[in-house]
Structure formats: structure tokens, C-alpha cells
Amino acid sequence: MGGMGMGIGMGGGSDMGQFIKTGQRVSQSWKAAWQGYCMVNGTGKFDPAGYDSNFISGFIEYVGSLALNDMGGPPPMAMV
């Protein structure tokens, strides 16, 4: 388990922490995914203030990769 820590610019007080909190308020799927990620990879607590930016970035990258795979991969490059 890694990514736990408190400090200036980390967790719930940061822009990334606020991003996680907003996602939890507006999407039950996002909230469930965050909670699952915290259970598997973190301390089992769901407040983003308890995690550092690396942990939060890991979650965002994980969710993004799942969405990208679900859509069949990256879109083809636009022709210039």
C-alpha cells in the first residue's frame, strides 16, 4: 500500500482531491470505483485528504484506462 500521506498540496485540499470529491457527489459509479480503489490499493478510507497526489493520480489513470479500453482504444489521429 502506498500513496498515503498528509501535507500541503495533498489530498482533499488539493485540486485533485476536490476533483475526486466532485466525482463522488455527481456519479455513484465514480464513488463506487473510488471506494473500491481505496479498499484494494489504499487504507480503506475514502476521504481523498488521506491520500497523496500520486495515489489520486493512480486512480485517475486507472479509470481513464478503463474508459479508453471500453471505447475500443484511442480515437484515430485526425488527418491534417
Side-chain angles (χ1 to χ4, degrees):
M1 292 201 284
M4 284 120 333
M6 302 290 282
I8 296 173
M10 296 182 163
S14 71
D15 288 342
M16 287 183 8
Q18 291 304 314
F19 177 72
I20 297 299
K21 287 183 176 190
T22 298
Q24 291 180 87
R25 283 191 296 272
V26 301
S27 169
Q28 288 302 308
S29 295
W30 178 272
K31 183 175 183 176
W34 171 252
Q35 290 176 350
Y37 190 83
C38 291
M39 294 295 292
V40 171
N41 299 297
T43 63
K45 296 183 179 180
F46 308 136
D47 184 354
Y51 297 99
D52 65 21
S53 60
N54 289 329
F55 184 86
I56 296 172
S57 293
F59 172 72
I60 294 168
E61 181 63 30
Y62 175 69
V63 171
S65 68
L66 291 176
L68 189 60
N69 287 334
D70 190 53
M71 292 185 290
M77 297 298 290
M79 298 190 62
V80 179

